[in-house]
Amino acid sequence: MTLRWPAEAIWEVVSPLLPGFTVEILPEIDSTNTELMRRARAGQTEPVLLVAERQTAGRGRLGREWKSDAQGRGETLTFSLGLPLVPADWSGLSLAVGLSVAQSLHPRLKLKWPNDIWLEDRKLAGILIETASVGTQRYAVIGIGINIVAPTATDLRTPPADLREVLPEVLAPDVLAHLVPPLIQALQRFEQFGFTPLVSGFAERDLLLGREVVCTDGTTGVARGVNASGALLLHTVSGLQKISSAEVSVRPQTNPACAN
Ligand code: BTN
């Protein structure tokens, strides 16, 4: 299937908000995040939306691989947004991105702290945020991968979800056009106001809220939402703990490796 990407339509909406913005669609690349990080390190720090129909070395959080649609037929939407960002406080950025994406996509989508997007207890989309320091500037690369059609990969602990479960027939290019402009507005609001105004919006979609969770260091507790810095609040036997950088699971784990 040949995909028709709405590059011009996105550019028209976004460029007044983000001067110098460009949109690039590539049939194939190793990873859209890797490419924008390479460019940033080489001094290219203009705002850009880079979409790849196929990634040969997609990357996930914590050094994991991100497998996606090997054929490039729109079964997965993979893109990165690169832009200079100057927030007063970076904490909560990844949660703000997840919230914007979930809000743009569907009311039934939930957020699994810190920024995975889930549908009915299965992962539907992932977000990888990286930053590069270029001179005095910080350049943020926000990579997003969304399952449009259920992936056939079977080595995942939990079978993935896909957007067609809630939006039958939806196409990757339409999803892109729908979520990029609000994402840019959300980033600009985040730059000005930080995560604090988003705490209640996150709570409305918080998959973990009130649930028993297990942290990668073995800590267990009941999730009590997130604070204004985007840390997960966990009610444990030794009191309320703030989790800033662990992975959490809603099921017991047998091989913990603490990342906190
Ligand atoms: C995760 O869930 O661990 C994050 C997955 C992020 C995947 C996207 S796909 C577009 C961009 N390029 C990458 O290599 N990774 C991100």
Side-chain angles (χ1 to χ4, degrees):
M1 180 206 232
T2 308
L3 297 170
R4 290 167 62 88
W5 293 99
E8 209 171 307
I10 294 174
W11 181 84
E12 271 170 15
V13 179
V14 171
S15 56
L17 305 171
L18 214 51
F21 176 71
T22 54
V23 181
E24 255 182 81
I25 316 286
L26 299 177
E28 180 177 300
I29 196 154
D30 51 356
S31 146
T32 52
N33 262 52
T34 304
E35 172 63 11
L36 291 191
M37 289 298 282
R38 270 194 298 259
R39 292 185 192 178
R41 290 189 193 107
Q44 275 178 263
T45 55
E46 296 78 21
V48 60
L49 173 67
L50 181 65
V51 183
E53 293 186 340
R54 185 165 177 266
Q55 292 190 126
T56 54
R59 295 187 291 113
R61 290 176 60 238
L62 308 169
R64 293 185 191 129
E65 181 189 8
W66 172 264
K67 281 196 191 154
S68 55
D69 172 23
Q71 307 305 315
R73 293 188 195 125
E75 281 92 342
T76 315
L77 172 61
T78 51
F79 67 94
S80 299
L81 178 66
L83 75 172
L85 219 55
V86 279
D89 181 359
W90 287 82
S91 45
L93 171 63
S94 68
L95 285 76
V97 170
L99 180 59
S100 169
V101 173
Q103 285 174 334
S104 293
L105 291 180
H106 198 273
R108 273 172 57 196
L109 301 189
K110 301 277 186 196
L111 292 158
K112 177 176 173 285
W113 184 89
N115 61 1
D116 281 352
I117 295 170
W118 283 43
L119 170 66
E120 282 153 12
D121 279 1
R122 288 166 299 127
K123 183 164 168 169
L124 180 133
I127 295 165
L128 173 66
I129 301 184
E130 299 176 289
T131 61
S133 294
V134 187
T136 54
Q137 254 190 350
R138 285 284 283 287
Y139 189 76
V141 174
I142 295 161
I144 301 178
I146 302 171
N147 300 326
I148 304 293
V149 181
T152 46
T154 53
D155 56 345
L156 297 170
R157 274 182 308 181
T158 313
D162 66 88
L163 202 52
R164 293 237 177 120
E165 291 176 45
V166 285
L167 296 170
E169 321 257 311
V170 76
L171 296 174
D174 300 333
V175 175
L176 182 77
H178 194 65
L179 65 80
V180 168
L183 175 60
I184 285 162
Q185 286 170 327
L187 289 167
Q188 292 181 331
R189 278 196 302 271
F190 179 85
E191 261 187 322
Q192 260 195 293
F193 307 113
F195 182 67
T196 308
L198 303 175
V199 172
S200 58
F202 191 95
E204 283 168 22
R205 290 180 182 258
D206 188 347
L207 178 87
L208 302 180
L209 194 61
R211 288 173 77 165
E212 185 96 35
V213 303
V214 183
C215 167
T216 34
D217 67 358
T219 308
T220 59
V222 176
R224 293 284 182 232
V226 299
N227 69 10
S229 304
L232 176 68
L233 300 173
L234 205 57
H235 187 84
T236 71
V237 281
S238 42
L240 200 64
Q241 287 192 20
K242 284 183 221 154
I243 311 287
S244 302
S245 59
E247 275 287 278
V248 293
S249 161
V250 278
R251 289 161 304 126
Q253 294 202 148
T254 49
N255 184 20
C258 185
N260 191 13

